[in-house]
Amino acid sequence: MLTFQCPYCGVQACETELAAGGEAHLKRFGPGSSDEDFEGYLFLRPNVKGVHFERWRHAMGCGKWFLAARCTATLEVFGTYPAQTTEPPPEIIAAIKARRPDWSLS
Amino acid sequence: MSEGRVSALGGAQSQGLVNIRDIGLQGMVSLRADLAQAAKAVEQVTGVAMPAMRAITSGKACSVAWMSPDEVLILCDHAQADGMVTALSKALAGQHHLAVNVSDARALFGLSGPEGALRDVLSKITPADLTTLAPGEMRRTRLQQVAAAIWFETEAEARVICFRSVARYVFDLLAMSAHTSGAVGHH
Ligand SMILES: [Zn+2]
């Protein structure tokens, strides 16, 4: 069971109240970009085992999109933060490093 | 203008570990706006102060429930809902907002019975933590397959709002969870 605290309404929402939205912080390649960049934006994901940044929507709740950092192997949640964030905030990075000293944001 | 209108299940009732009833016609107005900016207008129209996050506050004629950072649900007399929309739109003129009478798009059920049984009956069909849900807090969640909002009016009376299109599903689900052979005694 994966539980995230929604940063918008404060609810401890289990994954069955949420809709998964895939990887967070993607750089969008749109019209005018190369085929390779567009393909990468649409399809190519690292599929990491470990620390992962994701988009989730509080679908059965306040309805808002938010971002989360968690471990894909252990389901440990490092933190959640608003969707209007273009890169992982310092407190989230610190929370991850406290638990995963060898990890770094690549 | 409620002539000819009926609630989703026409006042259906079910007896069990708790009693469940279709509350009947209930005015519901959804307001989306910058809640901080709209607080004055909401208080002026409803007589109720803007609720804090996840709170539901009640006045003489209305209750106002916090639904999301930019949405409140106003519960009022069914016949007053259209007037409430007009009054809100007038009070919020010039401010970006959306006020809609959603009364007939929703269903409202009342659950009454012993507190422990109420919390057990709901716990069986929602992942929400019923142990900590206190009167005055609105919890949006799911009841099995569909979205719902639940809150306690008192320790002995809970309320459930769902979309009208799934009213029968939710009523039957609540009734099944409240079946006398299904007591779990957790709360
Ligand atoms: Zn939320």
Side-chain angles (χ1 to χ4, degrees):
Chain A
M1 179 67 77
L2 190 55
T3 302
F4 291 115
Q5 182 171 35
C6 173
Y8 293 100
C9 69
V11 158
Q12 294 286 345
C14 91
E15 62 187 298
T16 66
E17 295 176 276
L18 304 167
E23 190 182 334
H25 305 303
L26 293 181
K27 176 170 166 38
R28 180 174 183 268
F29 289 92
S33 61
S34 70
D35 285 355
E36 285 74 24
D37 283 344
F38 188 58
E39 183 201 19
Y41 164 62
L42 276 188
F43 301 116
L44 303 183
R45 299 292 176 267
N47 194 26
V48 295
K49 180 179 178 184
V51 176
H52 198 226
F53 298 92
E54 296 173 336
R55 305 166 71 226
W56 288 84
R57 190 171 87 88
H58 195 184
M60 296 280 188
C62 74
K64 302 297 178 196
W65 282 97
F66 65 90
L67 305 182
R70 63 140 180 154
C71 175
T72 58
T74 64
L75 303 194
E76 178 174 1
V77 175
F78 304 109
T80 55
Y81 48 106
Q84 291 76 17
T85 313
T86 52
E87 56 189 40
E91 65 273 19
I92 297 287
I93 302 275
I96 298 169
K97 285 200 163 143
R99 301 283 298 158
R100 301 282 190 280
D102 296 339
W103 174 87
S104 68
L105 187 61
S106 53
Chain B
M1 294 293 145
S2 354
E3 303 130 53
R5 291 190 190 173
V6 290
S7 61
L9 300 182
Q13 300 211 17
S14 168
Q15 322 284 321
L17 299 171
V18 303
N19 295 331
I20 301 152
R21 65 193 189 285
D22 170 15
I23 285 194
L25 292 177
Q26 168 70 49
M28 296 189 216
V29 172
S30 171
L31 173 69
R32 299 201 81 134
D34 180 321
L35 296 188
Q37 276 181 31
K40 228 175 111 185
V42 167
E43 184 157 7
Q44 181 195 321
V45 172
T46 65
V48 181
M50 182 62 78
M53 181 163 73
R54 294 203 312 277
I56 173 166
T57 49
S58 299
K60 255 190 250 153
C62 303
S63 294
V64 181
W66 190 98
M67 302 300 274
S68 90
D70 55 3
E71 181 184 0
V72 287
L73 184 69
I74 299 161
L75 302 170
C76 61
D77 191 82
H78 189 270
Q80 307 288 315
D82 279 334
M84 184 109 356
V85 168
T86 309
L88 281 168
S89 296
K90 204 168 153 195
L92 290 167
Q95 277 184 50
H96 183 60
H97 76 280
L98 181 72
V100 184
N101 179 358
V102 296
S103 310
D104 299 327
R106 308 278 167 89
L108 173 64
F109 300 121
L111 283 67
S112 55
E115 184 190 358
L118 278 176
R119 291 179 187 271
D120 279 354
V121 164
L122 288 166
S123 288
K124 282 193 268 179
I125 55 175
T126 173
D129 184 1
L130 265 297
T131 305
T132 56
L133 188 66
E137 178 177 352
M138 170 66 98
R139 178 66 156 87
R140 296 182 72 178
T141 181
R142 68 179 174 88
L143 294 180
Q144 294 295 24
Q145 301 184 42
V146 298
I150 57 185
W151 77 98
F152 285 89
E153 285 279 313
T154 67
E155 301 292 1
E157 169 81 15
R159 295 282 161 92
V160 170
I161 289 179
C162 65
F163 289 114
R164 186 185 181 110
S165 55
V166 294
R168 171 52 68 183
Y169 171 80
V170 169
F171 183 87
D172 289 349
L173 182 66
L174 289 166
M176 184 173 67
S177 186
H179 194 281
T180 48
S181 66
V184 290
H186 178 64
H187 286 99

